[in-house]
Amino acid sequence: MRLTNIPKVTPSGLKINQSRLWETLHETCKWGASHRWGKETHETGMARLTLSDNDARVRRWFADEVQKLGCAVSVDQMGNMFARLKGKRNSSRPMIAMGSHLDTQPRGGRYDGILGVVGALEVLRTMKENGFRTHDDVGIVNWTNEEGARFPKSMCSSGVWAGAIPTEDAWNLRDIHDQNVTLKSELERHGYLGEIPCSHEAYPLGAHFELHIEQGPILQDAGRSIGVVSGAQGYRWLNFTVTGQDAHTGTTPFSARRDPLLAASKMVVASNAVAKRYGALASTGILKIPDNSSTNTVVSEVTFTLDIRHPEDEVVKTVQDECLKSFADIAQEDGKGVSFDWRIDTDSPAVKFYKDCITSIQTSAEGLVGARGWMDITSGAGHDSVYTSRHCPTAMIFVPCRDGVSHHPTEYCTPEACALGTQTLLESVVHYDQSLAAKQG
């Protein structure tokens, strides 16, 4: 679509340094590089889980780099890092933020989240070296535990900032592999338990722009270079515990068994069928049995996760309700049956992003790639912007990733796509800042 009635503002006249961006992006990946898939230095995945030693190292690097640019760095009680560069009006207004995350999945890639933070750093570097100053303060946020891979609650700390997740609940999240380790204990261990309360009131933001790889194939298949993200689909993460009884596999007939692994397997398959009926998505990423299980024993208990997604909240709830009904039937199907309990770990409603932020990104994309080079798109994944949108103007920029692959070591975004996304981020922030200044006179 071609834009009309777009406010006329002065373009930035700045150009980001593609080589520096690419070099910096992969410099940060030396902390957590894993799962090599090619011969080139950058052809590895990442395993930099939240508040691991490598995450602490890249955080210290980030703080050093933004301080070199004259940014003030603040850390809140969830370890969220806010780097703030003064604008020329020397205003006390909340900063226009560029935010994302530096933590990864255990078998993740080099671009998910990382590009958003490193791209934002390149924006500030470019402004600084050209003597360019925004009207309002501008800065970067590195959000803690966005992935939720180590401490299972996605977009965790932006959720606390937004008031959707109580701080104590987040602090008490347990390491998925070591229940003696909590998120708070790791914040304390690394020195990232800041003094600022984690809330939108204690550290408000004037706006939040997030650059991210698409994590899907839509842009690539459409031949578009930029995705202007209008919002994100809703999703819920559920956790199920299916309880049965230990039994000898050679002496216990099927009719006498209470087999939770059999039931859980059927539940996973049933969830897939329910989701397909409603055009939704349902996935199980974790399935665990007790460590003391053995080949010739029916296990006593199984836990598994269920991730349900759809652009409409009503459909997410319908799929959940249908799954629960189906699971209740499955629990009674075999032998003497099993019991199950469940809880919701994450509930992220569908969101619509802020019109003026979207307009700034559309205007910037139009100027950089023309009307046929960008498209409106809805995010299939959750991001920190989902929570920031509750309390400040928010929008996102997507760039294509190869074959839509993400959360996998071979995740890849070309140097040109990284640079174009970062240039779009720069232009969008400048456009929004100038539009805001024009409105305020």
Side-chain angles (χ1 to χ4, degrees):
M1 80 186 223
R2 186 163 290 279
L3 299 174
T4 58
N5 299 321
I6 297 302
K8 301 297 184 183
V9 295
T10 304
S12 74
L14 305 174
K15 185 176 181 180
I16 65 101
N17 186 324
Q18 177 176 314
S19 297
R20 180 173 60 193
L21 170 67
W22 188 250
E23 180 181 344
T24 303
L25 178 68
H26 295 297
E27 177 188 355
T28 68
C29 292
K30 67 186 177 185
W31 297 294
S34 187
H35 317 302
R36 176 163 293 282
W37 55 268
K39 296 180 180 179
E40 297 295 328
T41 302
H42 66 271
E43 290 179 340
T44 77
M46 289 293 291
R48 187 165 66 209
L49 274 67
T50 294
L51 299 173
S52 62
D53 290 348
N54 278 322
D55 187 38
R57 293 183 182 105
V58 77
R59 283 167 168 267
R60 290 192 288 271
W61 169 88
F62 172 71
D64 288 343
E65 292 302 310
V66 293
Q67 286 171 339
K68 290 176 185 177
L69 300 175
C71 292
V73 178
S74 302
V75 180
D76 70 15
Q77 290 182 334
M78 285 299 298
N80 295 318
M81 303 176 71
F82 301 88
R84 182 168 183 154
L85 189 64
K86 273 293 183 183
K88 59 187 176 184
R89 293 202 296 190
N90 199 29
S91 169
S92 60
R93 285 174 45 82
M95 72 177 180
I96 299 172
M98 298 170 284
S100 203
H101 58 98
L102 289 169
D103 68 313
T104 77
Q105 290 286 331
R107 281 182 53 81
R110 290 176 163 241
Y111 307 88
D112 173 0
I114 300 171
L115 175 60
V117 176
V118 174
L121 176 62
E122 175 59 29
V123 168
L124 294 192
R125 284 174 170 174
T126 301
M127 289 180 174
K128 189 74 173 179
E129 69 188 8
N130 286 278
F132 184 95
R133 297 180 71 191
T134 50
H135 296 278
D136 283 341
D137 294 2
V138 66
I140 309 172
V141 186
N142 173 34
W143 297 102
T144 301
N145 196 38
E146 191 277 346
E147 292 292 359
R150 184 185 182 194
F151 301 101
K153 190 173 287 291
S154 66
M155 301 118 65
C156 174
S157 298
S158 55
V160 175
W161 178 89
I165 301 169
T167 302
E168 289 288 342
D169 289 358
W171 276 347
N172 288 328
L173 289 171
R174 305 281 166 167
D175 184 306
I176 195 168
H177 296 300
D178 186 350
Q179 294 293 294
N180 293 317
V181 175
T182 66
L183 191 149
K184 185 178 183 181
S185 70
E186 289 294 84
L187 286 171
E188 291 172 330
R189 181 168 74 92
H190 293 299
Y192 282 99
L193 184 64
E195 296 182 359
I196 302 170
C198 181
S199 80
H200 59 92
E201 296 170 336
Y203 204 108
L205 298 176
H208 188 269
F209 288 84
E210 184 170 7
L211 168 64
H212 209 282
I213 59 171
E214 181 199 342
Q215 301 182 279
I218 295 173
L219 290 174
Q220 177 180 282
D221 291 350
R224 305 299 177 98
S225 302
I226 294 293
V228 181
V229 186
S230 56
Q233 69 178 344
Y235 72 91
R236 288 185 184 179
W237 285 7
L238 294 85
N239 191 291
F240 289 85
T241 300
V242 186
T243 304
Q245 184 176 347
D246 301 282
H248 193 295
T249 58
T251 60
T252 310
F254 285 146
S255 60
R257 294 186 185 185
R258 298 180 61 219
D259 189 339
L261 183 53
L262 176 62
S265 301
K266 289 185 175 184
M267 290 173 183
V268 171
V269 172
S271 70
N272 181 269
V274 171
K276 285 179 177 177
R277 286 204 300 272
Y278 291 95
L281 298 170
S283 307
T284 292
I286 299 172
L287 189 149
K288 295 197 298 185
I289 60 176
D291 292 337
N292 59 1
S293 300
S294 69
T295 301
N296 62 335
T297 302
V298 175
V299 300
S300 58
E301 183 178 277
V302 174
T303 62
F304 69 93
T305 59
L306 185 62
D307 178 328
I308 303 171
R309 299 183 188 239
H310 192 274
E312 298 177 17
D313 295 331
E314 295 80 3
V315 176
V316 173
K317 185 178 185 306
T318 298
V319 171
Q320 174 187 305
D321 292 343
E322 289 289 323
C323 284
L324 291 173
K325 290 178 183 178
S326 177
F327 293 1
D329 292 337
I330 290 169
Q332 303 305 316
E333 281 182 357
D334 297 288
K336 293 186 176 181
V338 297
S339 60
F340 72 93
D341 295 311
W342 63 279
R343 68 175 189 271
I344 295 177
D345 283 338
T346 300
D347 185 3
S348 180
V351 300
K352 299 294 183 184
F353 289 146
Y354 189 71
K355 181 180 178 182
D356 288 356
C357 290
I358 292 172
T359 297
S360 289
I361 298 172
Q362 289 175 331
T363 305
S364 302
E366 181 89 2
L368 291 169
V369 298
R372 296 183 180 276
W374 65 274
M375 64 183 290
D376 292 311
I377 192 170
T378 298
S379 175
H383 299 280
D384 291 309
S385 289
V386 169
Y387 278 128
T388 65
S389 68
R390 297 188 181 190
H391 296 287
C392 74
T394 295
M396 294 185 70
I397 300 161
F398 276 174
V399 288
C401 52
R402 184 173 57 195
D403 299 327
V405 172
S406 183
H407 284 197
H408 188 271
T410 58
E411 171 185 287
Y412 182 73
C413 185
T414 67
E416 295 77 14
C418 290
L420 180 57
T422 300
Q423 188 71 43
T424 307
L425 177 64
L426 185 156
E427 300 295 342
S428 301
V429 168
V430 170
H431 182 281
Y432 185 79
D433 174 69
Q434 293 182 348
S435 299
L436 198 62
K439 288 179 181 179
Q440 295 171 345

